[in-house]
Structures are given as C-alpha cells and as structure tokens.
Amino acid sequence: MPALLPGRWELRQVSFTAAQTVPPEVLEQMNNPEVAALNQEVVSGLAHLLVEFRPDGSYQFTVARPGQPVRLETGSYAVKQGTLFAQSPATEGGSSFDNQQLIQVSRRKLVVDFLVGDALPGVREEIEYRRVP
C-alpha cells in the first residue's frame, strides 16, 4: 500500500477521459449533466464526498449532497500493483472504490481512474481528491 494513501480525502473533481477516438454518441454521453452538477456542487461547497483510508485497511466513504440522504459506506481495501481493491459487503452494489487505478498519490492529491463500463466503451472516469485534515 502506498505510504501516502491513508488519510482523509475530499472529492475535488470528476471527469471522463478516452485514449482513443470515440463515436459521437459516446462523446455526447461523456458530457454528463449529472457529473457537471456534482462538480459545481463540490466547487460551491454544497456537496461533500469524503473518504478516509485507514492504515488498518478499512475505509469509510460519506456522500452528502443537497436534497439527498447522506450515504455512508464502510469496507476494507488493499492496493496491489497500483490498483485499489475494495470490499463493502453491506453496500448494495459493493464498494465504490473497487478496481480503481492509482494515478497519483501525493501528500495533498489523490487521483484514481477506472473504466466506466459497457455504457461508455473505451471511456475512463477520473476522480481527483484533495487531502483534508
């Protein structure tokens, strides 16, 4: 596990990337209004997505957005060859962090990404966090 990963991280931005040319219909879906709204809520301080990776291999993820109930996810995680693997048996759909690539881990910044899936073939979602005290 990277020594700098344990700590509290707050979402800073969500974006989509594609290494190759994607068809116009996929490109259109990459301009997701829900993601744009979330980014705006984060910038304005209305939404708070906070994950705490603990040194013991456990984590807690909290999502607080206007007009939605607070979501709390707890689980365990491990890092192998630059990939974050996580489990949250009590969470419907499993962990929000499973199978994410660690792109950057520094004292102040954490960037992860993962393939979006069949809905957006060839597209990766990139999430940037900043460390909070």
Side-chain angles (χ1 to χ4, degrees):
M1 163 182 351
L4 294 173
L5 184 59
R8 293 169 33 108
W9 300 93
E10 187 169 33
L11 180 97
R12 188 166 186 182
Q13 179 178 333
V14 176
S15 58
F16 294 106
T17 61
Q20 71 275 3
T21 304
V22 295
E25 59 273 9
V26 171
L27 189 59
E28 173 106 5
Q29 291 180 47
M30 288 173 67
N31 294 322
N32 186 314
E34 290 177 21
V35 171
L38 173 61
N39 283 332
Q40 184 59 39
E41 290 169 0
V42 167
V43 168
S44 67
L46 293 174
H48 299 279
L49 287 79
L50 183 70
V51 60
E52 180 179 4
F53 292 109
R54 299 178 184 123
D56 68 359
S58 66
Y59 76 89
Q60 180 173 311
F61 180 47
T62 307
V63 178
R65 291 185 72 188
Q68 296 182 9
V70 172
R71 177 174 180 229
L72 179 62
E73 175 183 318
T74 58
S76 60
Y77 74 96
V79 176
K80 294 180 183 145
Q81 298 179 336
T83 301
L84 180 62
F85 296 98
Q87 297 178 10
S88 180
T91 302
E92 185 177 328
S95 173
S96 299
F97 298 92
D98 192 38
N99 207 25
Q100 294 186 0
Q101 300 296 309
L102 297 176
I103 304 303
Q104 181 180 353
V105 182
S106 67
R107 285 184 6 174
R108 295 188 179 132
K109 186 176 181 180
L110 169 64
V111 180
V112 298
D113 86 346
F114 54 92
L115 281 170
V116 173
D118 294 337
L120 296 173
V123 175
R124 299 187 74 83
E125 185 168 334
E126 185 174 283
I127 303 175
E128 180 181 327
Y129 298 90
R130 67 179 170 87
R131 188 179 299 275
V132 292

